[in-house]
Short mmCIF file of all heavy atoms in Angstrom, two decimals:
data_model
loop_
_atom_site.label_atom_id
_atom_site.label_comp_id
_atom_site.label_asym_id
_atom_site.label_seq_id
_atom_site.Cartn_x
_atom_site.Cartn_y
_atom_site.Cartn_z
N LEU A 1 144.51 -10.27 -34.66
CA LEU A 1 143.83 -11.50 -34.44
C LEU A 1 143.30 -11.67 -33.05
O LEU A 1 142.39 -12.50 -32.75
CB LEU A 1 144.70 -12.70 -34.83
CG LEU A 1 145.13 -12.77 -36.34
CD1 LEU A 1 146.11 -13.93 -36.53
CD2 LEU A 1 143.92 -12.93 -37.20
N GLY A 2 143.90 -10.99 -32.10
CA GLY A 2 143.49 -11.07 -30.71
C GLY A 2 142.32 -10.22 -30.35
O GLY A 2 141.85 -10.21 -29.19
N ASP A 3 141.77 -9.43 -31.28
CA ASP A 3 140.65 -8.55 -31.01
C ASP A 3 139.45 -9.41 -30.50
O ASP A 3 139.00 -10.33 -31.22
CB ASP A 3 140.22 -7.82 -32.28
CG ASP A 3 139.14 -6.78 -32.06
OD1 ASP A 3 138.31 -6.96 -31.17
OD2 ASP A 3 139.14 -5.76 -32.79
N PRO A 4 138.99 -9.17 -29.30
CA PRO A 4 137.99 -10.07 -28.68
C PRO A 4 136.53 -9.76 -29.06
O PRO A 4 135.66 -10.53 -28.64
CB PRO A 4 138.21 -9.81 -27.19
CG PRO A 4 138.56 -8.36 -27.12
CD PRO A 4 139.39 -8.12 -28.36
N ARG A 5 136.24 -8.71 -29.84
CA ARG A 5 134.88 -8.31 -30.01
C ARG A 5 134.03 -9.29 -30.77
O ARG A 5 132.86 -9.55 -30.39
CB ARG A 5 134.85 -6.94 -30.72
CG ARG A 5 135.34 -5.78 -29.84
CD ARG A 5 135.43 -4.47 -30.63
NE ARG A 5 136.48 -4.54 -31.63
CZ ARG A 5 136.71 -3.51 -32.50
NH1 ARG A 5 135.98 -2.42 -32.47
NH2 ARG A 5 137.71 -3.64 -33.40
N ASP A 6 134.58 -9.91 -31.83
CA ASP A 6 133.74 -10.86 -32.59
C ASP A 6 133.44 -12.10 -31.71
O ASP A 6 132.34 -12.62 -31.77
CB ASP A 6 134.46 -11.31 -33.85
CG ASP A 6 134.32 -10.25 -34.96
OD1 ASP A 6 133.36 -9.47 -34.95
OD2 ASP A 6 135.24 -10.19 -35.83
N GLU A 7 134.41 -12.57 -30.96
CA GLU A 7 134.18 -13.73 -30.12
C GLU A 7 133.12 -13.42 -29.09
O GLU A 7 132.22 -14.26 -28.79
CB GLU A 7 135.46 -14.18 -29.43
CG GLU A 7 135.27 -15.44 -28.63
CD GLU A 7 136.59 -15.98 -28.03
OE1 GLU A 7 137.64 -15.33 -28.24
OE2 GLU A 7 136.54 -17.00 -27.35
N ALA A 8 133.15 -12.20 -28.53
CA ALA A 8 132.12 -11.80 -27.52
C ALA A 8 130.75 -11.79 -28.20
O ALA A 8 129.77 -12.22 -27.59
CB ALA A 8 132.47 -10.44 -26.96
N ASN A 9 130.67 -11.26 -29.42
CA ASN A 9 129.38 -11.21 -30.10
C ASN A 9 128.88 -12.61 -30.51
O ASN A 9 127.67 -12.88 -30.48
CB ASN A 9 129.47 -10.31 -31.31
CG ASN A 9 129.48 -8.85 -30.97
OD1 ASN A 9 129.09 -8.46 -29.84
ND2 ASN A 9 129.88 -8.02 -31.89
N ALA A 10 129.83 -13.48 -30.95
CA ALA A 10 129.44 -14.83 -31.38
C ALA A 10 128.93 -15.70 -30.26
O ALA A 10 128.18 -16.64 -30.51
CB ALA A 10 130.64 -15.48 -32.07
N THR A 11 129.33 -15.41 -29.03
CA THR A 11 128.91 -16.22 -27.90
C THR A 11 127.84 -15.53 -27.06
O THR A 11 127.27 -16.13 -26.15
CB THR A 11 130.11 -16.56 -27.00
OG1 THR A 11 130.74 -15.29 -26.60
CG2 THR A 11 131.13 -17.38 -27.75
N ARG A 12 127.57 -14.26 -27.33
CA ARG A 12 126.65 -13.46 -26.52
C ARG A 12 125.20 -14.03 -26.58
O ARG A 12 124.71 -14.38 -27.63
CB ARG A 12 126.64 -12.03 -27.01
CG ARG A 12 125.61 -11.12 -26.30
CD ARG A 12 125.82 -9.67 -26.74
NE ARG A 12 124.71 -8.83 -26.30
CZ ARG A 12 124.71 -7.51 -26.40
NH1 ARG A 12 125.75 -6.90 -26.89
NH2 ARG A 12 123.68 -6.83 -25.98
N GLY A 13 124.62 -14.15 -25.42
CA GLY A 13 123.21 -14.57 -25.33
C GLY A 13 122.95 -16.02 -25.55
O GLY A 13 121.78 -16.45 -25.76
N LYS A 14 124.00 -16.87 -25.49
CA LYS A 14 123.76 -18.29 -25.71
C LYS A 14 122.91 -18.89 -24.58
O LYS A 14 123.25 -18.72 -23.40
CB LYS A 14 125.10 -19.03 -25.85
CG LYS A 14 124.93 -20.50 -26.18
CD LYS A 14 126.22 -21.20 -26.51
CE LYS A 14 126.01 -22.66 -26.84
NZ LYS A 14 127.25 -23.33 -27.28
N LEU A 15 121.86 -19.67 -24.98
CA LEU A 15 120.95 -20.23 -24.00
C LEU A 15 121.03 -21.75 -23.95
O LEU A 15 120.84 -22.34 -22.89
CB LEU A 15 119.50 -19.85 -24.36
CG LEU A 15 119.18 -18.34 -24.42
CD1 LEU A 15 117.76 -18.11 -24.89
CD2 LEU A 15 119.41 -17.69 -23.07
N ALA A 16 121.29 -22.38 -25.10
CA ALA A 16 121.28 -23.84 -25.12
C ALA A 16 121.93 -24.31 -26.41
O ALA A 16 122.20 -23.50 -27.31
CB ALA A 16 119.84 -24.39 -25.04
N GLU A 17 122.17 -25.59 -26.52
CA GLU A 17 122.76 -26.16 -27.73
C GLU A 17 122.29 -27.58 -27.94
O GLU A 17 121.86 -28.26 -26.98
CB GLU A 17 124.26 -26.10 -27.74
CG GLU A 17 124.94 -26.95 -26.68
CD GLU A 17 126.46 -26.93 -26.76
OE1 GLU A 17 127.00 -25.81 -26.93
OE2 GLU A 17 127.09 -28.00 -26.66
N ILE A 18 122.37 -28.08 -29.17
CA ILE A 18 122.12 -29.45 -29.48
C ILE A 18 123.33 -30.26 -29.00
O ILE A 18 124.45 -29.95 -29.36
CB ILE A 18 121.85 -29.68 -30.97
CG1 ILE A 18 120.53 -28.96 -31.36
CG2 ILE A 18 121.74 -31.17 -31.30
CD1 ILE A 18 120.26 -28.99 -32.87
N ALA A 19 123.08 -31.31 -28.25
CA ALA A 19 124.18 -32.09 -27.68
C ALA A 19 125.13 -32.57 -28.77
O ALA A 19 124.73 -33.19 -29.74
CB ALA A 19 123.62 -33.30 -26.92
N ASP A 20 126.45 -32.26 -28.58
CA ASP A 20 127.50 -32.64 -29.51
C ASP A 20 127.33 -32.05 -30.91
O ASP A 20 128.12 -32.36 -31.82
CB ASP A 20 127.60 -34.16 -29.62
CG ASP A 20 128.02 -34.80 -28.33
OD1 ASP A 20 128.81 -34.21 -27.58
OD2 ASP A 20 127.53 -35.91 -28.00
N GLY A 21 126.31 -31.25 -31.12
CA GLY A 21 126.11 -30.69 -32.48
C GLY A 21 125.74 -31.76 -33.50
O GLY A 21 126.13 -31.65 -34.63
N VAL A 22 125.01 -32.79 -33.06
CA VAL A 22 124.68 -33.89 -33.96
C VAL A 22 123.17 -33.87 -34.30
O VAL A 22 122.34 -33.82 -33.38
CB VAL A 22 125.06 -35.26 -33.32
CG1 VAL A 22 124.62 -36.42 -34.22
CG2 VAL A 22 126.54 -35.33 -33.05
N ILE A 23 122.87 -33.89 -35.58
CA ILE A 23 121.48 -33.96 -36.04
C ILE A 23 121.33 -35.19 -36.93
O ILE A 23 122.13 -35.39 -37.85
CB ILE A 23 121.12 -32.69 -36.82
CG1 ILE A 23 121.23 -31.43 -35.95
CG2 ILE A 23 119.71 -32.77 -37.41
CD1 ILE A 23 121.08 -30.14 -36.68
N THR A 24 120.31 -35.96 -36.70
CA THR A 24 120.04 -37.16 -37.51
C THR A 24 118.70 -37.05 -38.13
O THR A 24 117.79 -36.38 -37.64
CB THR A 24 120.15 -38.44 -36.70
OG1 THR A 24 119.23 -38.38 -35.58
CG2 THR A 24 121.55 -38.64 -36.13
#
């Protein structure tokens, strides 16, 4: 469970996000 590769791939290249993850 501590294998870090998926977490590294899931966060790789992140540029921006929708604030709080809220869409209306």
